[in-house]
Amino acid sequence: MQSLFFNKVTNGVIQNIRSLNSKGFHVFVTNCANIKLRRLHITAPSTSPNTDGIHVSHSINVKIFKSVIGTGDDCVSIIQGVNNVTINRVNCGPGHGISIGSLGKYQNELEVREVRVLNSTFVGTDNGLRIKTWPDKYPGAASHITFSDITMKNVKRPIIIDQEYQCSPANCNKKVSLISSSKQTIL
C-alpha cells in the first residue's frame, strides 16, 4: 500500500507535498522516466514498519532533492531496474537511511546503475547509506554508486554493504551473494 503511486509517468514533477503517517510507502515511483521529486516533507513514526519515504523501481532519470524524510523504514529505497538517480540535499531521519536493495531476491532482476547521493544529512537513523543483497539467491548487479558530501549525526551504522541480508545463524549458511557490486565511490 502506498499513499502516492506513480506508474509510467514521463517528464513529471512532484513537488511541495506533505505526507503524514502513511500505512505503507509514502511515494512509489515505478516504470517512470525523467521524474523530479522536490520539496517533499514525509513523516511517519520511527516505529512504523514498511513506511519507506520514497521507493523507486524500474525507472530512469529520477531526481530527488530538497526534501525532508523521517519514517520507520528507508527514507529512500531503490530496487531493481533503476538507472541514473540523483538524491541531493535530502534530510533523512529517523528511519533506516537510504538503501539500494534488497537485490538478488528474485530471478531476472535488472541492474541498478548510476546512483548518486549528494549533500545530504542523516540524523538519528539506524543506517546511513546501505547496499543490501540476498545471499545465494539470484544474480544481479549494482554499479556506479557515489556517496558524496554526507553529514551523519547519531547514526548507528553509517555505511553498510550487506551481502547477507535477512540472514541469521539460524537460517543462513553464510553463502555468498550473487550480486555483482562495482564502482562504488565514497567521497
Side-chain angles (χ1 to χ4, degrees), residues 39-171:
R39 294 191 299 273
L40 305 182
H41 194 102
I42 296 170
T43 306
S46 63
T47 55
S48 58
N50 298 318
T51 55
D52 288 14
I54 301 170
H55 183 76
V56 183
S57 74
H58 296 91
S59 295
I60 186 168
N61 300 330
V62 177
K63 292 183 176 17
I64 301 167
F65 54 101
K66 293 184 181 177
S67 294
V68 176
I69 305 170
T71 69
D73 211 318
D74 297 327
C75 291
V76 178
S77 56
I78 297 169
I79 63 168
Q80 68 158 318
V82 172
N83 188 355
N84 195 24
V85 173
T86 300
I87 300 167
N88 191 4
R89 292 185 285 171
V90 168
N91 290 327
C92 173
H96 294 173
I98 293 176
S99 293
I100 297 170
S102 61
L103 302 174
K105 184 176 182 180
Y106 303 106
Q107 195 168 12
N108 301 317
E109 283 184 357
L110 299 172
E111 181 177 5
V112 172
R113 291 182 51 83
E114 299 289 341
V115 176
R116 291 164 300 285
V117 181
L118 315 165
N119 307 306
S120 294
T121 301
F122 298 77
V123 177
T125 56
D126 288 341
N127 308 306
L129 304 161
R130 174 169 66 159
I131 299 172
K132 54 185 179 176
T133 66
W134 287 81
D136 195 32
K137 292 281 274 191
Y138 298 104
S143 66
H144 297 87
I145 312 296
T146 302
F147 305 131
S148 178
D149 296 316
I150 305 298
T151 300
M152 296 191 193
K153 298 175 186 171
N154 299 318
V155 174
K156 291 179 186 173
R157 294 171 292 276
I159 298 171
I160 298 176
I161 299 176
D162 182 357
Q163 293 188 301
E164 295 177 344
Y165 182 65
Q166 294 293 328
C167 226
S168 70
N171 71 2

Side-chain angles (χ1 to χ4, degrees), residues 5-14 29-35 59:
F5 181 70
F6 299 96
N7 184 23
K8 298 182 181 175
V9 175
T10 301
N11 300 322
V13 177
I14 297 106
V29 175
T30 189
N31 299 302
C32 294
N34 305 317
I35 299 295
S59 295

Side-chain angles (χ1 to χ4, degrees), residues 170-185:
N171 71 2
C172 185
N173 294 324
K174 300 279 185 186
K175 293 184 180 177
V176 174
S177 172
L178 300 176
I179 299 296
S180 169
S181 180
S182 64
K183 300 192 180 186
Q184 276 58 277
T185 306

